Amino acid sequence: MKAASKFLSAASAVTLSAAMVVPGALAVQFVATSAAEAAVVSRVEVSGNQRIDAETIRNYITIKPGKAFSSSDIDGAVKALFGTGLFSDVQINQVGPTLVVKVAEYQVVNQVLFQNNKKLKDNALAAAVQLKPRGTFSQATLDADVESVKAAYKRIGRDDVTVTTQVMQLGDNRVNVVFNIAEGDRTQIAAINFVGNSAYSSRRLSDIINTKRSSWVSFILRDDVYDDDKLRADQELLRRFYYNHGYADFQVVSAVGELDSATNKYTVTITVQEGDRYTFGDVSVESTIPEVDGKSLESVIETHKGDVYNAKNVEDSIIALTEKVAGSGYAFAQVTPRGDRNFENHTISVVYTIDQGTKAYIERIEIRGNDRTRDYVIRREFDVSEGDAFNQVLIQRAKKRLENLNYFEKVDISTVPGSQPDQVVLVVDVVEKSTGEFSVGAGYSTGGDTAGPSVEGSVTERNFLGRGQFIKLSAGGGKNSRDYSLSFTEPYFLGRRIAAGFDIFKSTREYNNNYDSDTTGATIRFGLPITDSISTQLAYNISQEKYKVDDGCNPTDSDPSGTCDISTAILDGIEQSPWIKSSVSLGLVYNTIDDMKNPHEGIYATTTVEVAGLGGDAKFVKVTGRGSVYQTLSESLDLVGLVSGGAGHVEGYGSDGLRIFDQFQSTDRMIRGFAYGGIGPVDPLTGDHLGGTTYFNASAEAQFPLPVVPESFGLRGAVFADAATLYGSKVTSVAQESTDMQLRASVGVGLMWASPFGPIRIDYAIPVKKEARDDVQEFNFGISTRF
């Protein structure tokens, strides 16, 4: 008991002591805290400032004389002064009744100068750096700007650029910043190697990607610039290519570019895993929406059992199903493809499932990065707008349309949550690129009405004033020709997807030093896309043609041909000069070509009907058509087959009949191996070919890469066989020969070059079937016009 009593007494003593000590401690802490929170100064003193007024600095801080402040207020004042970006250092201390604010100002940039730069102009480099005149200077910003300048040069293919800097003190805390640039040589791509490919040759895959090996034309094309972003885009191009040709398991294992600093050249290595090639198995449509019958929608899809697997056809089927169901009143319907691989027989069965989908609406469309292109030019490529149902398929279609405009380096579309759970905000980020072009070129052609050397200059703008309009002004000519033209196109006439435009032109020709022509005209046209592959164009054409016999010809009544040996039929046409032609034309184009620059698969077909007689002197109906089918014959050899054919007929009406100049003339597009206007009805007295009212032609061709020649040169070879006939004539002023249908044929070889000046083609053809009066021209050189 005594022990317990002593323990209780001790505990009581401790408790009592604690009760006396703790409140004391709390009191001390409270007093200290209260003292800190209740600090007051009588004045705020500023030092270290040179350009910034002291009162301005005082206004940035919240601490005022006579008012209590705490340590958090001091922290806030320091942050506020640093936040102005005017000071490199800030210190705030209380010295008695005075708050001392000591600052160190950043120096002010007077000028930013670039020296020894030739490949990039000052304005391009100034846009790349952060330091600006009248802005503040810091070493960290300068260091970052050096890297930015290097990156700008790397984008134009000059990785070995060196950049040094100089900071010149001007007094009054001002500096000039000088970037000294040694641009170095162009960094080239020595080789592009593909590893793991067996279905397609490395040459074929090189055609697919945009990164090209350096060649002697690279200084013009600039397609051999190594860029990491470009290489990533190339990987996507390869994936799409393989997916569209049956290789659903294709992967890009790696894609790297290694720079050899000794040679300043990259070696690009792309390792792929092709996998097996698949065909479509069973294809069906299922619907979880009771009112939508999946079976009835199977006719809409573009994937069919037995066809080679094609990811693009799957995408097109999704779009077609989505639009069909949305048109039936189900705006939120979502189409999801489900593929079932059969690894044994290499088939993929596809089930398109149609669900109701989550209801979501587009709150707004936010566009960023378009400094030049107007907002509405981008918005009109969307089939949806604010308030519409969100549809991912239509968004992806809009993205493809924006990319196809060729106004932007990059297009990204993302979504962020809107103000309500069922609303989203579409964010469209674009990176603009130059859309203007000034070009001067020279060429030589062996055929047509402009044979011989020629030059041409043009100014083109694809995005005029940022409005998405196309305008081109060109002038050119050769030994016997002069051409001038102005073209303008508004792609969205009256706010609809109708292209409207006009062409104004003037051309002069000299024909065999015998007679001249002078044509001035204009065309007003309207183009309307019907589907992704079918489009139509309606045009009104008016022109005035003037013909004149050369002074040395001297035709007379007794000798109509004079000394120039011109057919009477041609002289009759010249005598009707000037001749006004007023016509309307309607054209239809079907185009499924995979690559218009380097076609391997697809169909391009066009037909045109022209009716002249809406005023003017000409009265005729002309119908023409042409079609080309491309098909890859061997993937490994990159062998492409081409079959093409065409036909035309013109019929005059009225009392004046058909002029000789309105009849068809043979060209190298009709048949090779013969001169321009070298077949068909002929004047037996002068040998002049007078053209015909009807023609048919056909051609078969095989195109292939040239061995040994690097693919980056853009050279391909061809072997071909042509057949054609041109007959019929409405000219009655002379007796004619070869007016009946007579077949001509030729065989030959060709060389095609995707040159920096446009596609150029050289053909050597030997006629194997011809008529006695035909004019032969075995060699043909000129601009290639495939379509």
Side-chain angles (χ1 to χ4, degrees), residues 34-53:
S34 299
E37 291 181 351
V40 177
V41 294
S42 59
R43 66 193 183 94
V44 178
E45 180 181 299
V46 179
S47 65
N49 57 310
Q50 299 181 35
R51 294 176 295 103
I52 312 301
D53 185 69

Side-chain angles (χ1 to χ4, degrees), residues 731-764:
V731 176
T732 59
S733 57
V734 296
Q736 301 174 64
E737 296 179 353
S738 300
T739 57
D740 297 329
M741 180 186 293
Q742 296 170 324
L743 187 67
R744 280 84 167 175
S746 64
V747 294
V749 295
L751 180 65
M752 298 172 291
W753 179 31
S755 79
F757 320 103
I760 293 176
R761 178 155 182 155
I762 302 173
D763 287 317
Y764 181 78

Side-chain angles (χ1 to χ4, degrees), residues 623-771:
V623 181
T624 58
R626 180 178 176 85
S628 300
V629 180
Y630 287 85
Q631 181 63 52
T632 300
L633 303 178
S634 172
E635 301 286 5
S636 58
L637 299 177
D638 192 14
L639 180 64
V640 178
L642 164 63
V643 177
S644 62
H649 180 73
V650 59
E651 192 71 38
Y653 65 91
S655 58
D656 294 331
L658 193 66
R659 287 188 317 155
I660 184 175
F661 299 120
D662 292 329
Q663 296 193 143
F664 295 109
Q665 291 285 349
S666 65
T667 67
D668 61 325
R669 294 195 68 189
M670 186 181 297
I671 186 170
R672 287 162 284 195
F674 295 85
Y676 173 78
I679 67 172
V682 62
D683 185 337
L685 298 178
T686 62
D688 288 326
H689 286 86
L690 307 179
T693 58
T694 306
Y695 74 88
F696 295 96
N697 72 288
S699 177
E701 180 171 298
Q703 302 174 357
F704 49 86
L706 295 178
V708 181
V709 179
E711 71 280 352
S712 56
F713 279 36
L715 288 172
R716 290 178 67 85
V719 294
F720 59 84
D722 293 349
T725 181
L726 174 66
Y727 63 96
S729 178
K730 297 297 183 181
V731 176
T732 59
S733 57
V734 296
Q736 301 174 64
E737 296 179 353
S738 300
T739 57
D740 297 329
M741 180 186 293
Q742 296 170 324
L743 187 67
R744 280 84 167 175
S746 64
V747 294
V749 295
L751 180 65
M752 298 172 291
W753 179 31
S755 79
F757 320 103
I760 293 176
R761 178 155 182 155
I762 302 173
D763 287 317
Y764 181 78
I766 300 175
V768 295
K769 183 173 177 55
K770 63 185 184 70
E771 299 299 319

Side-chain angles (χ1 to χ4, degrees), residues 36-94:
E37 291 181 351
V40 177
V41 294
S42 59
R43 66 193 183 94
V44 178
E45 180 181 299
V46 179
S47 65
N49 57 310
Q50 299 181 35
R51 294 176 295 103
I52 312 301
D53 185 69
E55 189 60 32
T56 300
I57 296 174
R58 294 188 185 99
N59 290 334
Y60 277 118
I61 65 178
T62 59
I63 302 173
K64 305 299 179 183
K67 292 185 178 181
F69 65 92
S70 66
S71 58
S72 62
D73 292 321
I74 294 178
D75 291 340
V78 172
K79 291 178 181 178
L81 290 174
F82 272 122
T84 63
L86 301 173
F87 307 106
S88 59
D89 190 26
V90 176
Q91 297 179 12
I92 300 179
N93 297 294
Q94 182 180 352

Side-chain angles (χ1 to χ4, degrees), residues 450-455 477-482 509-510 513:
T450 59
S454 63
V455 295
K479 179 181 178 181
N480 300 314
S481 64
R482 300 290 186 275
R509 299 287 186 270
E510 297 178 8
N513 297 319

Side-chain angles (χ1 to χ4, degrees), residues 145-210:
D145 284 348
V146 169
E147 297 304 316
S148 296
V149 171
K150 290 181 178 179
Y153 272 95
K154 184 176 181 179
R155 285 192 292 271
I156 64 169
R158 292 184 178 268
D159 289 53
D160 63 341
V161 63
T162 58
V163 181
T164 59
T165 60
Q166 183 180 3
V167 181
M168 304 175 63
Q169 302 291 336
L170 302 178
D172 295 329
N173 213 29
R174 297 179 304 117
V175 296
N176 279 349
V177 179
V178 182
F179 291 87
N180 296 300
I181 301 169
E183 294 181 321
D185 296 326
R186 288 190 69 243
T187 305
Q188 298 181 329
I189 297 179
I192 300 177
N193 301 320
F194 291 90
V195 178
N197 56 305
S198 59
Y200 297 95
S201 67
S202 296
R203 179 187 290 268
R204 178 69 179 109
L205 297 183
S206 296
D207 290 337
I208 302 300
I209 63 177
N210 290 323

